Amino acid sequence: MPEGVRISDLKIIRDGKTIIPDLTMYIDRGKIVGLLGPSGSGKTTIMRSIVGVQAIAAGSITVFGREAGSKVLRTRIGYFTQSASIYTDLTCLENLRYFARILGQSEISVHEVLELVDLTKNKKQLASSLSGGERARLALATALLGRPELLILDEPTVGLDPVLRRDLWNLFHKLADQGKTLLISSHVMDEADRCDSLFLLRDGRILAGGTPQELKDQANTDEMEAVFISLVEQL
Ligand SMILES: Nc1ncnc2c1ncn2[C@@H]1O[C@H](COP(=O)(O)OP(=O)(O)OP(=O)(O)O)[C@@H](O)[C@H]1O
Ligand SMILES: [Mg+2]
């Protein structure tokens, strides 16, 4: 199996504060990996460092064997940020054409991602008139331009109702089945069950990692929420 994402002895300091003291983790290719933890635990910071936009104080991060931030990785990684940037005064098609131009992607890729997120029928609609879920899918589509092999999705389902969340998770599994690697952050524990494997994070440290079932077995419970609480109580 070719290399996935490897983080070794990562240390991150922001504004004089140590956010990530010493992090080591490995993300397998073709898997959906969840990064779960409460607000402020460092999820976004870790994602930024994998994308290569976060200054690091120590340690190393490689993506597919290349140093994070390398130019060669630019089109191989799709990043969906918490402040997903779509232009509400543009249509779906116009939004995607705009981002495609920045990324040097073709018109074909625009139509490909529209199809993938099931927005082809909405392509002429202004983003301002989209429903919450449609807007989330449009934002996701921008991260899918250029067929990245690694998708870094920072809380992509936040604010969506359960049906829309399920639809998005179906899409994530479809992408993983195509061989893509997905790192998805959430602070909603019930989403953990939909991941192939998980890292539970707190104060910039990994409390535990494994498949949802392994973590439940370790904590002797059937509920993901209880797993997290029991880990915190063991500290
Ligand atoms: N630019 C910054 N300067 C200083 N501290 C920062 C900066 N950005 C984030 N932090 C701090 O780093 C810690 C981790 O933040 P991060 O955004 O990675 O958390 P998160 O797990 O993504 O949280 P959330 O679930 O709220 O998105 C927090 O304590 C935050 O206050
Ligand atoms: Mg965050």
Side-chain angles (χ1 to χ4, degrees):
M1 187 82 165
E3 272 273 306
V5 179
R6 191 173 293 282
I7 301 182
S8 313
D9 308 312
L10 178 69
K11 181 175 185 176
I12 293 176
I13 301 171
R14 293 180 96 169
D15 255 7
K17 217 169 43 167
T18 301
I19 307 295
I20 309 289
D22 182 12
L23 186 89
T24 294
M25 62 190 268
Y26 181 74
I27 297 168
D28 251 342
R29 280 208 194 201
K31 291 270 161 41
I32 300 184
V33 178
L35 199 54
L36 279 96
S39 181
S41 57
K43 303 183 293 295
T44 299
T45 305
I46 293 170
M47 290 182 148
R48 283 166 49 87
S49 67
I50 296 171
V51 176
V53 296
Q54 175 65 54
I56 67 176
S60 69
I61 307 160
T62 59
V63 180
F64 310 139
R66 306 287 193 130
E67 195 185 335
S70 305
K71 212 168 176 187
V72 285
L73 291 173
R74 204 171 291 166
T75 55
R76 299 178 74 184
I77 304 178
Y79 182 32
F80 173 98
T81 69
Q82 271 177 301
S83 45
S85 45
I86 52 169
Y87 295 98
T88 51
D89 55 341
L90 298 182
T91 65
C92 294
L93 197 56
E94 288 164 346
N95 263 289
L96 290 171
R97 279 183 178 148
Y98 173 76
F99 289 109
R101 206 169 309 135
I102 293 173
L103 295 165
Q105 297 300 321
S106 66
E107 177 74 11
I108 297 168
S109 65
V110 167
H111 292 280
E112 221 175 58
V113 296
L114 271 172
E115 197 60 42
L116 204 53
V117 301
D118 199 19
L119 281 180
T120 301
K121 58 187 178 309
N122 306 82
K123 68 181 177 193
K124 299 237 166 95
Q125 206 174 327
L126 281 178
S128 58
S129 68
L130 296 173
S131 74
E134 288 163 350
R135 208 176 292 189
R137 279 184 282 143
L138 177 59
L140 185 65
T142 65
L144 293 170
L145 283 165
R147 300 187 198 158
E149 294 151 73
L150 171 65
L151 284 162
I152 309 273
L153 309 176
D154 201 356
E155 305 205 28
T157 63
V158 79
L160 300 182
D161 67 48
V163 174
L164 291 172
R165 271 171 43 192
R166 187 204 55 201
D167 289 351
L168 266 191
W169 275 96
N170 287 339
L171 174 59
F172 299 156
H173 281 285
K174 192 165 114 186
L175 294 166
D177 290 345
Q178 293 173 3
K180 295 189 194 297
T181 307
L182 290 89
L183 179 66
I184 302 179
S185 73
S186 176
H187 52 243
V188 188
M189 293 299 157
D190 66 359
E191 295 202 313
D193 279 314
R194 301 175 187 266
C195 297
D196 297 317
S197 67
L198 299 167
F199 290 102
L200 300 186
L201 206 68
R202 191 182 187 231
D203 297 334
R205 291 185 173 83
I206 293 172
L207 293 180
T211 67
Q213 195 54 51
E214 282 166 356
L215 293 175
K216 287 177 191 169
D217 290 347
Q218 266 176 40
N220 209 2
T221 167
D222 283 333
E223 302 273 335
M224 218 54 226
E225 194 94 28
V227 171
F228 197 80
I229 291 167
S230 102
L231 284 165
V232 168
E233 281 172 352
Q234 282 167 27
L235 290 179

